[in-house]
Amino acid sequence: MSRRAKHKIILIVWLITFFLTGFGVWGFQAGHLMVIGFFMASLVLYILAAFLMRCPKCRMPVLLRPWKIFGMELYTWSILTPEQCRHCGEMLR
Ligand SMILES: [Zn+2]
């Protein structure tokens, strides 16, 4: 299984967990705070993953997506890993 397929599964599992926790705890007094807490924890995990997952060849973070707009290089972060490194083209497995 490719890395991208694994990430899709992680993303779907995360969405299901997010909605299940959301529906499960919403009735509690601080239910919405738990949902926000869950969301924040996921965000921290995503940021950690984004900085730790690097291309084996050029050491660039694989989630960093460079865009060339009017000669300027802009960087955005993507949720899904690409098939290959956007920096050097190395296939990611
Ligand atoms: Zn690379």
Side-chain angles (χ1 to χ4, degrees), residues 55 57-59 85 87-90:
C55 169
K57 204 168 152 197
C58 65
R59 312 304 299 161
C85 174
H87 192 69
C88 67
E90 173 86 348

Side-chain angles (χ1 to χ4, degrees), residues 18-55:
F18 184 68
F19 281 111
L20 283 183
T21 357
F23 283 123
V25 299
W26 200 258
F28 298 153
Q29 206 163 25
H32 55 287
L33 286 179
M34 280 188 214
V35 174
I36 292 169
F38 181 79
F39 195 74
M40 288 300 198
S42 312
L43 197 69
V44 169
L45 282 179
Y46 169 75
I47 291 169
L48 274 180
F51 277 101
L52 292 177
M53 283 196 304
R54 285 168 187 270
C55 169

Side-chain angles (χ1 to χ4, degrees), residues 2 49 56:
S2 75

